[in-house]
Amino acid sequence: MSDVSFVRTEMLAEQAPPATSVGVVGWLRANLFSSWLNTILTIISLGFIWYILAGLIPWVFQSVWNANSLTECREIMAATWGKTHGHACWAVINERWLQLLYGFYPPYPITPEVNVGDSTGFLPAYLRPNLAMVLFLVAVAPVLYSDIVPRQLLIVTAAYPFLLPWLMWGGTIWAPIMVAAGLGIGYLGYRFLSPVIGALGGVILAILLPVIWWMFLSGAVAGAIDSVIPIGIAEVESRKFGGLMLAVLLGIVAIGVSLPIGIVLALGRQSDLLIVKGLCVGFIEFIRGVPLITLLFVASTLLNIFMPPGTNFDIILRVMIMMTLFAAAYMAEVIRGGLAALPKGQYEGADSLGLNYWQAQRLIIMPQALKISIPGIVSTFIGIFKDTTLVSIIGLLDPIGLSQGIRSNAAWNGIYWELFAFIALVFFVCCFSMSRYSMYLERKLRTDHR
Amino acid sequence: MKKSVFLGALTIAGLAAGAVAAGTLDDVKARGKLNCGVSTGLVGFAAPDANGEWTGFDVTVCRAVAAAVLNDASAVEFVPTTGKTRFTALASGEVDMLARNTTWTFSRDVDLKFEFVGVNYYDGQGFMVPKDLGVSSAKELDGATVCIQTGTTTELNLADFFRSNNISYEPVPIETNAEAQQQYLAGACDVYTTDASGLAATRATFESPGDHVLLPEIISKEPLGPLVRHGDNEWGDVVRWTLNAMITAEELGVTSANMGELAAGTNNPEINRLLGTEGTLGEMLGLDAEWAQRVLAVGGNYGEIFEKNIGESTPIGLARGLNAQWTDGGLLYSPPFR
């Protein structure tokens, strides 16, 4: 009987894991070929991806960029590759991309003197819509990235609602200033008259005074000041708006306005005041019960019939109002979801601190409710931005509407996928950025410890 | 909330700016612009080019009216309308006239209260099939799948035609012409049916147009023409006689080339009356004497406009057919300028 017991006394040196479980091979084995079923699925998927890319990549990259018509495109394709199928004719984008982006917006409406089609000015083309877009980014930066961007930029944010219409539609600068002055008048009225006639009277006056100002006085005052100190830029009619610019404009307004309205509606729906609650529930349920297309048709045709003939109620403004109301109703429900998700203790905690209703909302309830609602809010934003393409049905020339206009030129009749591909790409970039931002925001605001 | 209040203010400003309409002719003159409803895009008839300039057969009618009334063929605000919005746009006064390949039918004229001032294109619904199908008549199309644009008179005509011939078909509903081209080429339907002019324009875009044939049957009457609202006869007269001036000019041989020469005075009294060197026709219309000269200066007479936009020299390549002058066996027949 031999004694062969063995006790290791020293540690073995660490060894590299087997070659089949590290690196690329290891990753492939773990993720793609871990079992027979997964291996089969991987092979099928790879085949499918190859099938798609084999068609798509030549179509996208073996393409014609310079031609004046579809026929010319086909001639070039036949001369280069021998067949005309499977190659994109990007020449249509090359010729019409400015139109797809800006519609018929005149490139040079800077001052009343330098107007449509005059490229002799020193200012770059499409300055106004581009500037409006840049200012939009500046205006939202302090809101979106509040920890990086200085708070002073909030001045731009406050001014932007008045700058945007002025930049886009033009006209005298006094009109937006006078509209802004209405808010000041309301505030002053509240400040100085509420001690005299009581709080409720003050609130009513604060609403009534600006409305009177806007309805009867602001236009006349703006005109009077303009005749003394004329500062203005060339006016652009709504009919000239189109392309992606129109979609973005509708999207910005609908998104920007629907969020505050949505918050108010959500709070109203939870209110104990019967009339307020009834109004909010009625509005939300009515708007959500009606398709957006119906609202757009109301905006474009029904309102026309109701109003006296010759009334000039801007079609884009009508569409903006309808899209905003539509988005606000959905926004209200998303935010109500956030409110409902808050534990009751939060409300009671706010009460026990002695905060009044608005303080509690501002300091305790809303920051948490909005944080919970971020994915839903951004989904609504993305949805409403994509819904802007529906306006092509009522004859507005958004990118989809313009694509029909482009196809109806004899030179480009018959072109199909290229236009949709371009529009899809542009929309994807916009929607994907919004989606990524919402993920960033969720990470930044995450206060739980996971 | 600030923005919404501002928008509200704009709304009210817009409402306040509206004024009660007088006669459309006076309105247009006062405004200095003609609001003309056109299609959002139809090959040969209305299309914006790369600079946003509208061109086409229907568009020229708008420009001609603007030239007659405002002495400026570019003083037109083109309002793109879809098949669904066109009639409300006209009825509500958003546009002064509609030149948007609209079929003149009883109900549109009487029930919708519009006035068709004439016909600028006589169309009819036809069928296109691939040559391989081996069909030579629409009556052999029993059991075929048919691509058809929804919400148009073509849908009703198709049902009528197949029912009266006791044959069956399966409709493939399509929203736009571009989509229909794709579906038809992809083989989703055996037959594509729409107005014959549209079929010709569509076939011209195919890579091999020769592989597709238009069947001989034309199953409907589609007189397309400009229209205005009921009840403003002065304005209707202006649009009607603008169209008639283009047709008459072709009949009398007045072209954009020889107009300057003829305007000096000719031995043909009708030409003189048309061009305003004799008589007071322009004054009766509420315009000046040279109105028809300006109409013809826009794009020439009817024949020239036809050739330039949709005629046989263009990719669309439509023959005059029914749209020839009555003297050439067609249907174009303008009342005399007298």
Side-chain angles (χ1 to χ4, degrees):
Chain A
M1 209 174 149
S2 56
D3 187 18
V4 284
S5 66
F6 171 75
V7 177
R8 189 181 287 283
T9 53
E10 76 283 11
M11 290 291 285
L12 276 177
E14 278 179 17
Q15 288 189 342
T20 52
S21 65
V22 290
V24 178
V25 178
W27 185 87
L28 286 177
R29 279 177 66 107
N31 291 295
L32 299 181
F33 302 100
S34 59
S35 70
W36 277 112
L37 179 66
N38 285 352
T39 307
I40 292 168
L41 288 178
T42 301
I43 290 171
I44 292 175
S45 307
L46 283 178
F48 185 69
I49 292 171
W50 182 84
Y51 174 77
I52 298 282
L53 289 184
L56 198 63
I57 289 181
W59 185 77
V60 172
F61 294 102
Q62 291 190 341
S63 50
V64 179
W65 276 95
N66 293 301
N68 291 317
S69 69
L70 182 60
T71 323
E72 202 181 322
C73 254
R74 284 179 178 153
E75 282 165 11
I76 297 174
M77 286 173 197
T80 318
W81 299 287
K83 58 188 170 76
T84 54
H85 279 288
H87 305 284
C89 177
W90 297 118
V92 64
I93 306 294
N94 192 12
E95 185 187 297
R96 296 297 183 102
W97 67 278
L98 278 175
Q99 202 169 62
L100 282 169
L101 290 188
Y102 298 102
F104 303 145
Y105 202 90
Y108 300 100
I110 310 298
T111 68
E113 287 80 32
V114 184
N115 213 320
V116 186
D118 184 354
S119 55
T120 52
F122 59 94
L123 291 161
Y126 297 110
L127 178 72
R128 275 164 54 177
N130 288 344
L131 188 64
M133 190 67 212
V134 170
L135 278 180
F136 170 71
L137 297 178
V138 175
V140 292
V143 181
L144 297 187
Y145 298 98
S146 50
D147 46 349
I148 313 171
V149 179
R151 289 179 63 87
Q152 285 82 348
L153 276 180
L154 281 171
I155 294 172
V156 181
T157 315
Y160 193 71
F162 306 101
L163 268 177
L164 174 72
W166 182 65
L167 274 176
M168 297 304 294
W169 277 275
T172 170
I173 194 167
W174 299 110
I177 290 180
M178 286 305 126
V179 172
L183 296 175
I185 288 174
Y187 175 74
L188 289 179
Y190 177 74
R191 184 74 193 276
F192 291 111
L193 290 179
S194 60
V196 185
I197 55 172
L200 184 65
V203 170
I204 293 175
L205 267 184
I207 297 170
L208 212 58
L209 279 180
V211 172
I212 294 173
W213 165 257
W214 285 320
M215 280 183 73
F216 302 110
L217 291 171
S218 67
V221 173
I225 302 182
D226 189 56
S227 60
V228 181
I229 319 167
I231 305 176
I233 49 178
E235 289 190 31
V236 179
E237 293 149 350
S238 288
R239 286 278 158 221
K240 306 278 181 203
F241 285 48
L244 187 74
M245 189 187 80
L246 178 64
V248 171
L249 185 68
L250 291 175
I252 286 178
V253 172
I255 289 171
V257 183
S258 69
L259 186 59
I261 297 182
I263 292 175
V264 171
L265 284 173
L267 290 177
R269 190 167 188 168
Q270 298 218 319
S271 166
D272 298 328
L273 305 170
L274 188 66
I275 295 177
V276 172
K277 183 174 180 171
L279 282 176
C280 291
V281 172
F283 175 84
I284 293 170
E285 294 304 332
F286 174 73
I287 296 281
R288 290 209 313 162
V290 177
L292 180 57
I293 294 269
T294 314
L295 292 177
L296 290 178
F297 272 120
V298 168
S300 99
T301 61
L302 206 61
L303 282 182
N304 263 342
I305 295 175
F306 286 155
M307 289 186 302
T311 306
N312 183 23
F313 183 12
D314 196 288
I315 176 75
I316 291 186
L317 191 60
R318 278 183 268 165
V319 168
M320 273 179 182
I321 292 172
M322 285 302 178
M323 296 202 79
T324 305
L325 295 182
F326 184 78
Y330 279 85
M331 195 61 71
E333 286 300 278
V334 168
I335 291 168
R336 192 170 69 91
L339 289 173
L342 277 192
K344 205 168 173 231
Q346 298 290 334
Y347 294 89
E348 290 165 350
D351 287 344
S352 70
L353 285 173
L355 301 177
N356 69 23
Y357 180 77
W358 292 109
Q359 284 171 328
Q361 292 299 337
R362 185 164 58 87
L363 297 171
I364 293 181
I365 310 298
M366 269 303 146
Q368 299 184 74
L370 288 180
K371 190 186 83 182
I372 297 170
S373 324
I374 286 173
I377 291 176
V378 174
S379 285
T380 312
F381 283 172
I382 291 176
I384 200 73
F385 181 59
K386 290 194 290 189
D387 281 349
T388 57
T389 53
L390 289 178
V391 300
S392 62
I393 292 172
I394 55 166
L396 288 182
L397 294 176
D398 84 311
I400 299 287
L402 268 175
S403 69
Q404 200 190 343
I406 292 171
R407 273 189 214 109
S408 58
N409 280 272
W412 298 116
N413 188 12
I415 207 144
Y416 194 71
W417 298 109
E418 287 84 346
L419 289 166
F420 282 134
F422 178 75
I423 295 166
L425 178 74
V426 174
F427 269 86
F428 177 78
V429 169
C430 295
C431 295
F432 188 66
S433 333
M434 278 197 258
S435 159
R436 297 308 292 188
Y437 173 76
S438 90
M439 289 166 80
Y440 156 83
L441 200 59
E442 277 175 58
R443 275 198 305 278
K444 193 183 84 171
L445 295 180
R446 193 158 74 190
T447 47
D448 54 347
H449 304 283
R450 264 188 283 183
Chain B
M1 287 300 286
K2 265 184 278 182
K3 247 190 224 171
S4 66
V5 172
F6 176 55
L7 289 172
L10 279 178
T11 310
I12 289 155
L15 284 170
V20 181
T24 312
L25 181 59
D26 296 329
D27 281 354
V28 172
K29 280 179 175 168
R31 199 189 305 134
K33 276 220 163 185
L34 171 72
N35 291 334
C36 192
V38 292
S39 158
T40 49
L42 183 70
V43 184
F45 288 85
D49 70 5
N51 302 318
E53 287 288 314
W54 287 83
T55 55
F57 191 66
D58 281 339
V59 166
T60 313
V61 177
C62 299
R63 290 198 189 281
V65 172
V69 176
L70 301 168
N71 194 9
D72 181 2
S74 61
V76 190
E77 192 73 46
F78 290 102
V79 180
T81 56
T82 66
K84 298 180 181 79
T85 63
R86 54 183 166 182
F87 294 127
T88 4
L90 180 60
S92 66
E94 194 179 345
V95 298
D96 304 313
M97 60 178 282
L98 206 57
R100 191 202 176 280
N101 63 309
T102 303
T103 307
W104 185 350
T105 66
F106 182 94
S107 59
R108 284 171 182 176
D109 196 333
V110 177
D111 192 29
L112 293 180
K113 304 231 178 313
F114 294 127
E115 187 179 345
F116 285 82
V117 300
V119 175
N120 69 340
Y121 190 86
Y122 288 95
D123 216 333
Q125 186 176 345
F127 296 98
M128 176 164 63
V129 294
K131 223 172 210 167
D132 314 342
L133 210 60
V135 171
S136 59
S137 159
K139 293 186 179 144
E140 300 166 23
L141 287 175
D142 195 9
T145 50
V146 184
C147 278
I148 175 111
Q149 268 174 273
T150 52
T152 60
T153 48
T154 54
E155 206 176 1
L156 308 172
N157 297 333
L158 182 75
D160 287 357
F161 174 79
F162 275 79
R163 203 178 70 182
S164 60
N165 284 293
N166 244 335
I167 49 180
S168 69
Y169 71 103
E170 194 185 323
V172 180
I174 301 284
E175 180 65 27
T176 65
N177 185 48
E179 194 188 333
Q181 291 181 25
Q182 291 297 315
Q183 297 281 15
Y184 172 75
L185 285 177
C189 47
D190 306 322
V191 190
Y192 177 33
T193 178
T194 186
D195 287 352
S197 64
L199 286 181
T202 302
R203 190 173 67 154
T205 70
F206 291 170
E207 289 187 68
S208 42
D211 294 350
H212 304 268
V213 287
L214 305 186
L215 299 180
E217 282 89 352
I218 297 293
I219 63 166
S220 72
K221 290 184 288 186
E222 309 279 350
L224 311 177
L227 55 155
V228 297
R229 280 181 296 278
H230 249 273
D232 189 348
N233 297 356
E234 286 76 17
W235 175 245
D237 288 344
V238 169
V239 181
R240 173 178 299 113
W241 287 96
T242 303
L243 179 64
N244 284 341
M246 298 193 284
I247 296 173
T248 302
E250 188 189 16
E251 186 186 341
L252 298 175
V254 182
T255 65
S256 51
N258 67 11
M259 189 179 68
E261 189 185 322
L262 295 176
T266 64
N267 293 328
N268 184 334
E270 185 151 19
I271 294 182
N272 292 348
R273 283 194 295 270
L274 174 68
L275 298 180
T277 48
E278 212 178 293
T280 55
L281 294 186
E283 195 185 316
M284 296 176 201
L285 210 49
L287 304 171
D288 58 5
E290 286 87 34
W291 67 279
Q293 294 188 30
R294 294 195 300 270
V295 166
L296 298 177
V298 171
N301 62 37
Y302 182 91
E304 289 174 86
I305 297 167
F306 191 100
E307 274 315 308
K308 181 167 170 284
N309 291 298
I310 51 181
E312 284 176 321
S313 60
T314 65
I316 304 161
L318 294 174
R320 284 297 288 270
L322 287 178
N323 296 293
Q325 291 285 337
W326 65 283
T327 46
D328 301 331
L331 289 177
L332 284 190
Y333 187 100
S334 158
F337 273 67
R338 181 174 288 282

